[in-house]
Amino acid sequence: MSNPVFDNSPVFGDPRKKKRTAGAPGGATMTAGTAGAQVADAATLNALYDSPAATTRETGRLTYDDVIVKTAGLLALLVVTGAATWVLAPGLWIVGAIVGLVLGLVNAFRRSPSPVLITLYTAAQGVFLGGISAFYESQWDGIVGQAVLATLSVFAVSLVLFRSGKVRVTPKFQRAVLVAMVGYVVYSLVNVVLMIFGVGGGDFGPLRSGPLGIVVGLVAVGLAAASLIMDFDSIKRGVDLGVPAKMAWSAAFGLIVTLVWLYLELLRLLAILRQ
C-alpha cells in the first residue's frame, strides 16, 4: 500500500494511476473525489510556495538588528554610568578599571556569551571612562567632546570603508593587524615601565609624549579602526552563517571593547596635541 499523501499529491502522484481511475467503472464518482483532493492539494502547495520564507529572527538566528539593539543598549549604559561617575565620584575610576579588566578577560574567554557579565563589564567601563574623562576635562577644557566626536567619526569612516569593499579583511590583513597590535602592546608596556622608574619625562611617559607620542597615537587610532573593520567582518560572517541569536551579545561586547580603546587613544592624542 502506497503513501496516500504522495498518492493524492499533484506533484508526487502517479499519473498512470490517475488515468486508470478515470477509465474505471463508476469512474465519474471516483474522478470527482480525486479531482477534489487534487484541487485541495494544489491550493495547499500554492499557499506554501507563496508564503514568505522564514526570517533569521523566526529561526532564532543572528541578525544585524540584534547586534544594533544590543550595542545601542550597552552604549547607553556606558554613557549613563560614565556621566554619573563624572558628577558623583570621579575617584572611582581605578575601581572601574580593575573590575572592567577582570570582567573583560572573563568575557573574552567564555565560549558562550553571558548577558549579565557583559552588562557588568560595560557598567564598570562606564565608571572608568567617567572618572578618566573628568580628569582630562579638568586639564583641557572641551577635550572630552572632541574625543567623543572623533570616536564617532572614526567609527563611521570604518563602517563606510568596510561596506564599500575598499578595505577587505583578508588573512594577510588580519596577520598584519595582529602583528602591529602585539608590537603596540609591547611598546606601551615598555613606556609604562619607564614611567614607573622615572626614566624620561612627559605626562604620558617618554615614549608617548611630544612628536613621538603623536605618531604613536595616530598609529594606535589606525589599529583601532582596523580592529573595528575586523569586528564588522566577524559580525557579517556570523549573520551569513546563521549563528544563534544569542551571539549578538558577543558581537556587541567586541564592539564596546574596541570603541572604548579607540576613545581612550583619541583622548590621549588630543591631550598631546593641546599641550
Side-chain angles (χ1 to χ4, degrees):
M1 181 178 178
S2 59
N3 190 324
V5 175
F6 287 106
D7 264 355
N8 294 326
S9 170
V11 177
F12 298 106
D14 188 349
R16 292 174 298 179
K17 185 174 181 180
K18 295 173 186 176
K19 290 180 181 179
R20 288 197 300 269
T21 304
T29 303
M30 295 176 65
T31 303
T34 305
Q38 290 176 356
V39 171
D41 287 337
T44 302
L45 284 172
N46 287 332
L48 290 174
Y49 291 149
D50 293 337
S51 62
T55 63
T56 51
R57 181 177 297 278
E58 292 169 341
T59 57
R61 300 301 180 184
L62 179 67
T63 66
Y64 291 115
D65 288 343
D66 293 332
V67 178
I68 293 172
V69 170
K70 299 293 190 302
T71 304
L74 292 178
L75 281 175
L77 175 62
L78 187 76
V79 172
V80 170
T81 53
T85 304
W86 183 329
V87 174
L88 301 176
L92 289 178
W93 71 269
I94 186 63
V95 177
I98 296 173
V99 175
L101 176 61
V102 173
L103 290 176
L105 292 174
V106 171
N107 283 306
F109 287 101
R110 282 183 61 91
R111 299 190 64 180
S112 180
S114 170
V116 174
L117 291 179
I118 292 174
T119 301
L120 291 175
Y121 162 81
T122 304
Q125 287 295 79
V127 173
F128 168 58
L129 292 183
I132 287 294
S133 299
F135 168 76
Y136 273 83
E137 187 71 16
S138 66
Q139 300 295 315
W140 300 279
D141 185 48
I143 194 172
V144 171
Q146 294 174 347
V148 170
L149 181 60
T151 301
L152 295 176
S153 300
V154 174
F155 179 86
V157 171
S158 300
L159 181 59
V160 169
L161 289 175
F162 173 74
R163 292 295 301 272
S164 67
K166 293 182 179 180
V167 178
R168 299 183 180 276
V169 182
T170 62
K172 185 178 180 180
F173 177 86
Q174 292 176 326
R175 286 194 299 268
V177 173
L178 178 60
V179 171
M181 289 180 68
V182 171
Y184 170 76
V185 170
V186 173
Y187 185 91
S188 299
L189 289 175
V190 171
N191 184 58
V192 170
V193 171
L194 293 177
M195 289 179 63
I196 293 174
F197 287 97
V199 178
D203 294 335
F204 305 102
L207 302 181
R208 295 301 303 267
S209 301
L212 180 60
I214 295 175
V215 173
V216 175
L218 291 173
V219 171
V221 170
L223 286 175
S227 183
L228 275 176
I229 293 175
M230 292 173 63
D231 292 343
F232 297 148
D233 182 71
S234 296
I235 294 170
K236 181 179 182 300
R237 282 189 284 109
V239 172
D240 292 342
L241 292 174
V243 301
K246 66 180 181 179
M247 298 308 293
W249 283 103
S250 294
F253 168 68
L255 288 174
I256 292 296
V257 170
T258 307
L259 286 173
V260 168
W261 174 33
L262 175 62
Y263 171 76
L264 290 173
E265 292 296 345
L266 286 168
L267 199 60
R268 179 158 41 190
L269 178 60
L270 289 170
I272 296 173
L273 289 172
R274 292 181 60 173
Q275 277 184 328

